Each structure stands twice: as C-alpha cells, then as structure tokens.
Amino acid sequence: MPVITIKSKDSERKPELQKFAEEISIKTGIAVSRIQVIAEYYSAEDFFTNNVHAIISISISEKNDKNTIQELMQACASIAAKHFSVEENQIAVTAYPVGTGYLFVNNHFI
C-alpha cells in the first residue's frame, strides 16, 4: 500500500486525487484501493526549490523490489507533470522503503 504525498507550490492547477490514483493504478497495476494520495500546497514564500514545481514522497513496503518502486516513482512524476501542466523535469520524487513490521494498515503490521 503506497502512501504518496505531493508537496507543491499553490497554483491554479491541482491534481484531482482520485483521478491521480486511478492513473497510477493503470500505469503500475496497483489496485486503486491500495493507493493513498495526500496533497499539501504551499505559498511561494513557504516553498523554495530550484525550478521544481512539486516534490513527491512515496512510502512503500520494502517487500517491493527496486524496479517496482522505480516504476511507481516514474509514474508519479509523469502523471503529476500532466496534472500540473509542467515539464516532467519539474517534478522531484523520493521513495522511502518501509521495513517489515513498520507499516500499520487495517489494524495489522505488515
């Protein structure tokens, strides 16, 4: 169950989170019901980056292999770029693999 957090400059263009999750599902094969997406928007004075419009952080179980995680990262970057109407190189993505037993979902540690 990946948790995707989008941190962005506040602008007129914002992703529709349900649609964002659906597009991630189509590109990666992860069921929409397993994808969690959160968006946080910041004023220009609270969001300083060099030519980056959004920073996406993904928390995901380390049980996923590196290729799967990188595929999800690439999907998030391209979909976010489309939703924000910016170039893909203006989206930064980081992944945080979560160790076994350190993710608590549906009242269970996984």
Side-chain angles (χ1 to χ4, degrees), residues 1-3 34 58-66 68-69 72 96-103 110:
M1 170 183 278
V3 177
R34 296 187 59 232
I58 303 169
S59 296
I60 187 168
S61 172
E62 69 179 0
K63 293 179 184 177
N64 293 282
D65 62 55
K66 185 176 181 179
T68 300
I69 294 171
L72 177 59
Y96 300 95
V98 178
T100 303
Y102 289 93
L103 185 57
I110 56 172

Short mmCIF file of all heavy atoms in Angstrom, two decimals, residues 1-3 34 58-66 68-69 72 96-103 110:
data_model
loop_
_atom_site.label_atom_id
_atom_site.label_comp_id
_atom_site.label_asym_id
_atom_site.label_seq_id
_atom_site.Cartn_x
_atom_site.Cartn_y
_atom_site.Cartn_z
N MET A 1 0.84 -1.17 0.00
CA MET A 1 0.00 0.00 0.00
C MET A 1 0.88 1.23 0.00
O MET A 1 1.34 1.65 1.05
CB MET A 1 -0.90 -0.01 1.23
CG MET A 1 -1.63 1.30 1.42
SD MET A 1 -2.62 1.33 2.90
CE MET A 1 -4.04 0.48 2.33
N PRO A 2 1.17 1.80 -1.15
CA PRO A 2 2.00 3.01 -1.16
C PRO A 2 1.21 4.23 -0.66
O PRO A 2 0.03 4.38 -0.95
CB PRO A 2 2.38 3.17 -2.62
CG PRO A 2 1.33 2.44 -3.38
CD PRO A 2 0.84 1.34 -2.48
N VAL A 3 1.91 5.05 0.09
CA VAL A 3 1.36 6.34 0.53
C VAL A 3 2.13 7.40 -0.24
O VAL A 3 3.34 7.52 -0.11
CB VAL A 3 1.52 6.54 2.04
CG1 VAL A 3 1.01 7.92 2.45
CG2 VAL A 3 0.79 5.45 2.81
N ARG A 34 -5.61 0.29 -2.95
CA ARG A 34 -4.39 0.18 -2.16
C ARG A 34 -3.56 1.46 -2.18
O ARG A 34 -2.58 1.58 -1.45
CB ARG A 34 -3.55 -0.99 -2.67
CG ARG A 34 -4.24 -2.33 -2.49
CD ARG A 34 -3.34 -3.50 -2.83
NE ARG A 34 -2.16 -3.48 -1.99
CZ ARG A 34 -0.90 -3.55 -2.45
NH1 ARG A 34 -0.67 -3.65 -3.73
NH2 ARG A 34 0.12 -3.54 -1.62
N ILE A 58 7.12 9.00 -1.53
CA ILE A 58 6.39 7.73 -1.55
C ILE A 58 6.91 6.85 -0.42
O ILE A 58 8.11 6.56 -0.37
CB ILE A 58 6.57 7.00 -2.89
CG1 ILE A 58 6.13 7.87 -4.05
CG2 ILE A 58 5.81 5.67 -2.87
CD1 ILE A 58 6.52 7.32 -5.41
N SER A 59 6.03 6.46 0.48
CA SER A 59 6.35 5.46 1.49
C SER A 59 5.75 4.14 0.99
O SER A 59 4.57 4.08 0.66
CB SER A 59 5.74 5.82 2.84
OG SER A 59 6.30 7.02 3.31
N ILE A 60 6.60 3.12 0.92
CA ILE A 60 6.17 1.84 0.35
C ILE A 60 6.94 0.71 1.01
O ILE A 60 8.11 0.88 1.39
CB ILE A 60 6.37 1.85 -1.19
CG1 ILE A 60 5.77 0.62 -1.84
CG2 ILE A 60 7.82 2.06 -1.56
CD1 ILE A 60 5.68 0.71 -3.36
N SER A 61 6.30 -0.42 1.15
CA SER A 61 6.92 -1.58 1.80
C SER A 61 8.20 -1.98 1.08
O SER A 61 8.26 -2.02 -0.15
CB SER A 61 5.96 -2.76 1.81
OG SER A 61 6.63 -3.93 2.27
N GLU A 62 9.21 -2.31 1.87
CA GLU A 62 10.46 -2.77 1.29
C GLU A 62 10.33 -4.15 0.64
O GLU A 62 11.24 -4.60 -0.04
CB GLU A 62 11.56 -2.80 2.35
CG GLU A 62 11.37 -3.89 3.39
CD GLU A 62 12.49 -3.93 4.42
OE1 GLU A 62 13.44 -3.12 4.35
OE2 GLU A 62 12.41 -4.79 5.32
N LYS A 63 9.18 -4.78 0.81
CA LYS A 63 8.92 -6.06 0.15
C LYS A 63 8.85 -5.89 -1.37
O LYS A 63 9.01 -6.85 -2.10
CB LYS A 63 7.62 -6.68 0.66
CG LYS A 63 7.67 -7.13 2.10
CD LYS A 63 6.33 -7.70 2.52
CE LYS A 63 6.32 -8.06 3.98
NZ LYS A 63 5.00 -8.55 4.41
N ASN A 64 8.59 -4.66 -1.82
CA ASN A 64 8.57 -4.37 -3.26
C ASN A 64 10.01 -4.27 -3.75
O ASN A 64 10.86 -3.70 -3.09
CB ASN A 64 7.84 -3.05 -3.52
CG ASN A 64 6.38 -3.16 -3.18
OD1 ASN A 64 5.61 -3.71 -3.94
ND2 ASN A 64 6.00 -2.62 -2.03
N ASP A 65 10.26 -4.81 -4.95
CA ASP A 65 11.62 -4.75 -5.47
C ASP A 65 11.91 -3.34 -6.02
O ASP A 65 11.01 -2.53 -6.23
CB ASP A 65 11.87 -5.83 -6.52
CG ASP A 65 10.98 -5.70 -7.75
OD1 ASP A 65 10.98 -4.63 -8.37
OD2 ASP A 65 10.30 -6.69 -8.07
N LYS A 66 13.19 -3.09 -6.24
CA LYS A 66 13.64 -1.76 -6.69
C LYS A 66 12.97 -1.35 -8.00
O LYS A 66 12.57 -0.20 -8.16
CB LYS A 66 15.15 -1.77 -6.84
CG LYS A 66 15.74 -0.42 -7.18
CD LYS A 66 17.25 -0.50 -7.21
CE LYS A 66 17.86 0.84 -7.54
NZ LYS A 66 19.34 0.77 -7.54
N THR A 68 10.00 -2.16 -9.16
CA THR A 68 8.61 -1.80 -8.89
C THR A 68 8.53 -0.40 -8.29
O THR A 68 7.71 0.42 -8.69
CB THR A 68 7.95 -2.82 -7.95
OG1 THR A 68 7.99 -4.11 -8.56
CG2 THR A 68 6.52 -2.45 -7.61
N ILE A 69 9.42 -0.13 -7.34
CA ILE A 69 9.44 1.19 -6.69
C ILE A 69 9.81 2.26 -7.71
O ILE A 69 9.17 3.32 -7.76
CB ILE A 69 10.39 1.19 -5.48
CG1 ILE A 69 9.85 0.24 -4.39
CG2 ILE A 69 10.59 2.61 -4.94
CD1 ILE A 69 10.79 -0.01 -3.25
N LEU A 72 6.89 3.01 -10.01
CA LEU A 72 5.92 3.87 -9.33
C LEU A 72 6.41 5.31 -9.28
O LEU A 72 5.64 6.25 -9.52
CB LEU A 72 5.65 3.34 -7.92
CG LEU A 72 4.71 4.16 -7.04
CD1 LEU A 72 3.34 4.31 -7.68
CD2 LEU A 72 4.60 3.53 -5.66
N TYR A 96 10.66 6.10 0.09
CA TYR A 96 11.09 5.68 1.40
C TYR A 96 10.60 4.26 1.64
O TYR A 96 9.44 4.06 2.04
CB TYR A 96 10.53 6.62 2.49
CG TYR A 96 10.98 8.04 2.29
CD1 TYR A 96 10.19 8.95 1.61
CD2 TYR A 96 12.22 8.46 2.77
CE1 TYR A 96 10.62 10.26 1.40
CE2 TYR A 96 12.65 9.77 2.57
CZ TYR A 96 11.84 10.65 1.89
OH TYR A 96 12.26 11.94 1.68
N PRO A 97 11.44 3.26 1.37
CA PRO A 97 11.02 1.88 1.65
C PRO A 97 10.82 1.70 3.16
O PRO A 97 11.66 2.11 3.97
CB PRO A 97 12.18 1.03 1.14
CG PRO A 97 12.90 1.92 0.17
CD PRO A 97 12.73 3.31 0.71
N VAL A 98 9.70 1.12 3.53
CA VAL A 98 9.35 0.92 4.93
C VAL A 98 9.62 -0.54 5.29
O VAL A 98 9.16 -1.44 4.60
CB VAL A 98 7.86 1.26 5.17
CG1 VAL A 98 7.47 1.01 6.61
CG2 VAL A 98 7.59 2.71 4.77
N GLY A 99 10.38 -0.76 6.34
CA GLY A 99 10.76 -2.10 6.75
C GLY A 99 9.58 -2.94 7.21
O GLY A 99 8.56 -2.42 7.67
N THR A 100 9.74 -4.24 7.11
CA THR A 100 8.71 -5.18 7.54
C THR A 100 8.39 -4.94 9.01
O THR A 100 9.28 -4.83 9.85
CB THR A 100 9.21 -6.63 7.33
OG1 THR A 100 9.54 -6.80 5.96
CG2 THR A 100 8.14 -7.64 7.73
N GLY A 101 7.10 -4.84 9.30
CA GLY A 101 6.65 -4.61 10.66
C GLY A 101 6.55 -3.14 11.05
O GLY A 101 6.12 -2.83 12.16
N TYR A 102 6.90 -2.24 10.15
CA TYR A 102 6.85 -0.82 10.44
C TYR A 102 5.76 -0.09 9.66
O TYR A 102 5.74 1.13 9.60
CB TYR A 102 8.21 -0.16 10.17
CG TYR A 102 9.23 -0.57 11.19
CD1 TYR A 102 10.07 -1.64 10.96
CD2 TYR A 102 9.33 0.11 12.40
CE1 TYR A 102 11.00 -2.03 11.90
CE2 TYR A 102 10.25 -0.27 13.35
CZ TYR A 102 11.10 -1.34 13.10
OH TYR A 102 12.01 -1.73 14.04
N LEU A 103 4.84 -0.83 9.07
CA LEU A 103 3.70 -0.25 8.39
C LEU A 103 2.45 -0.86 9.03
O LEU A 103 2.31 -2.09 9.07
CB LEU A 103 3.76 -0.58 6.89
CG LEU A 103 2.70 0.06 5.99
CD1 LEU A 103 2.72 1.58 6.10
CD2 LEU A 103 2.94 -0.35 4.55
N ILE A 110 2.43 -4.84 8.71
CA ILE A 110 2.85 -5.58 7.52
C ILE A 110 4.28 -5.23 7.17
O ILE A 110 4.84 -4.28 7.66
CB ILE A 110 1.91 -5.34 6.31
CG1 ILE A 110 1.80 -3.85 5.99
CG2 ILE A 110 0.55 -5.89 6.59
CD1 ILE A 110 1.05 -3.59 4.70
#
